Amino acid sequence: MNIIFIIAPLVLVAFIGFLSTKTQWLERTQLDAITKFTFYIAIPAFLFYQMSHADFSKHVTPALFAAFYLPVLLCYFLGGLVNYYFHPSLKKQASGSAVFALGASYSNTIIVGLPILLMVVGEQVIAITFLIVTFHSAMLFTLTSAISAKNTRFDWASFSKQIFSNPVVVSILLGLIVNVSSWSLPKVFNESLLLIGKPAIPLALFILGGSLSFYQVKKELTFIAIASAIKLIILPFIVYFTAHYLFHLNAITTTVLVILSASPTGVNAYLIAKQQEKHQETVAGTVVVSTLMSVVTIPCWLWWLS
C-alpha cells in the first residue's frame, strides 16, 4: 500500500482537530474536557487491554532494549551537550541542558508512533511497542529530574508520585501484571475495555492537532531546529544502525524501533519543562515543529525501511 495513503488519514484527523480549535469551533476548555476523557479513560483502557493480552514470549531480549535505548541515551546526552556548551542564556546549566535533552529525545510513541505502526504493519507490533513504551517515560523523566536536581536534594517521593499518577504508566504496568500472572479477566470487563478504548487513537490524534493551535513558535528557533533534527533524523538513523547492523534484529522489529524513535517530541516533555521552569518555549516549539516535520520525515523512514 502506498505510504501516503497510510499516513493521510492520521494527518487528516489531526488537521480536523487543528481546524476545530483554530476557528474556535472548539474552545480550549472543551478540548481540555476531551483530553481528560482520552488520557484518563480511553487510552488507559486501550493500553491495559492490549498489554494484558499481548504475547511477549518472542520479543523480550536484551538486544531489543539495547537497540532502542542506547541511541536514545546517546541523543539525550548529545542534546544536553549542545545546550550546555552553546546556548546563549542557559549555557553551563544542568537543569536547562537536561530539559533540552529531553525535548530532543523523548518520542510521542502512543499518539503518533503506535497508530502509524498499526496501519503499516498490523497488530503484531503491539507487543514490541508496549515493551519499549513501558520504560520510555520512566527512564527519561527520572534522568531529567535527577540531573536537574544536581545541586538540590532530589525528592524521590514527589517524583514517584508523579510517575505513578500518570494513567499511561499505571495502565501499562497493571496490564503487564495481568499478563505475566496469566489472570483471566471476565468477558464483560474485556468487552467494556475494548469499547472504551476503541476511540483512543483517533481522539489522541484529534487532540494533538487541536493543541497545535495553542502553541507559539517565536523565539529559540535555532535550538528548536537542532532538537527537531536530533529527534527526527539523527535518533532514528542510529536506531536503524543498532537494530539492523549491530544486533541483527528482524525487519518488523527494526521497523517498529525506527518509527517509534522517528516519532515527534511528545507533549509530556513540555510538562517537564514547565515543572523545571526551563526551556518551556523551546520544548513547546519542538513539539510543534517536529510534529509538523514528521508528516514528511516518517513517510521517508517508511520508504527507506521498505
Side-chain angles (χ1 to χ4, degrees), residues 216-238:
Q216 298 296 322
V217 182
K218 296 179 180 179
K219 297 183 291 185
E220 299 283 353
L221 290 177
T222 299
F223 277 79
I224 289 171
I226 292 171
S228 298
I230 293 173
K231 183 70 206 61
L232 300 177
I233 300 172
I234 297 176
L235 175 55
F237 177 80
I238 301 175

Side-chain angles (χ1 to χ4, degrees), residues 4 10 31 39 41 72-73 101 107 126 146 157 170 173 183 186 202 207 215 252 257 285 295:
I4 297 299
L10 307 178
L31 186 69
F39 285 97
I41 299 177
V72 167
L73 289 173
S107 298
I126 289 175
V170 172
L173 289 177
W183 292 341
I207 291 164
Y215 291 121
I252 290 178
L257 297 184
V295 175

Side-chain angles (χ1 to χ4, degrees), residues 79-80 82-83 95-104 223-224 226-227 279 282-283:
V82 168
N83 181 91
S95 59
S97 298
V99 170
F100 182 77
L102 181 67
F223 277 79
I224 289 171
I226 292 171
H279 271 311
T282 307
V283 177

Side-chain angles (χ1 to χ4, degrees), residues 68-84 93-107 136-149 159 226-227 230-231 234-236 238-239 265 269 272-273 276 283:
F68 182 82
Y69 282 116
L70 287 178
V72 167
L73 289 173
L74 180 61
C75 287
Y76 182 95
F77 286 109
L78 173 63
L81 289 172
V82 168
N83 181 91
Y84 193 80
Q93 289 191 22
S95 59
S97 298
V99 170
F100 182 77
L102 181 67
S105 59
Y106 180 73
S107 298
H136 186 228
S137 296
M139 184 188 79
L140 291 180
F141 292 173
T142 300
L143 187 58
T144 302
S145 298
I147 294 173
S148 299
F159 174 76
I226 292 171
I230 293 173
K231 183 70 206 61
I234 297 176
L235 175 55
I238 301 175
V239 168
T265 300
I272 300 297
Q276 298 293 337
V283 177

Side-chain angles (χ1 to χ4, degrees), residues 289-303:
V289 171
S290 64
T291 301
L292 295 174
M293 288 177 60
S294 69
V295 175
V296 175
T297 57
I298 289 179
C300 288
W301 282 112
L302 288 170
W303 174 80

Side-chain angles (χ1 to χ4, degrees), residues 156-213:
W156 280 105
S158 176
F159 174 76
S160 298
K161 182 180 179 182
Q162 176 187 336
I163 289 295
F164 290 105
S165 63
N166 185 316
V168 171
V169 174
V170 172
S171 59
I172 288 175
L173 289 177
L174 289 177
L176 182 61
I177 291 171
V178 171
N179 189 302
V180 299
S181 63
S182 300
W183 292 341
S184 180
L185 298 174
K187 183 178 179 181
V188 65
F189 188 68
N190 277 326
E191 291 180 350
S192 298
L193 287 173
L194 274 173
L195 191 62
I196 295 171
K198 193 172 183 179
I201 298 302
L203 280 174
L205 290 167
F206 179 88
I207 291 164
L208 176 65
S211 300
L212 290 179
S213 67

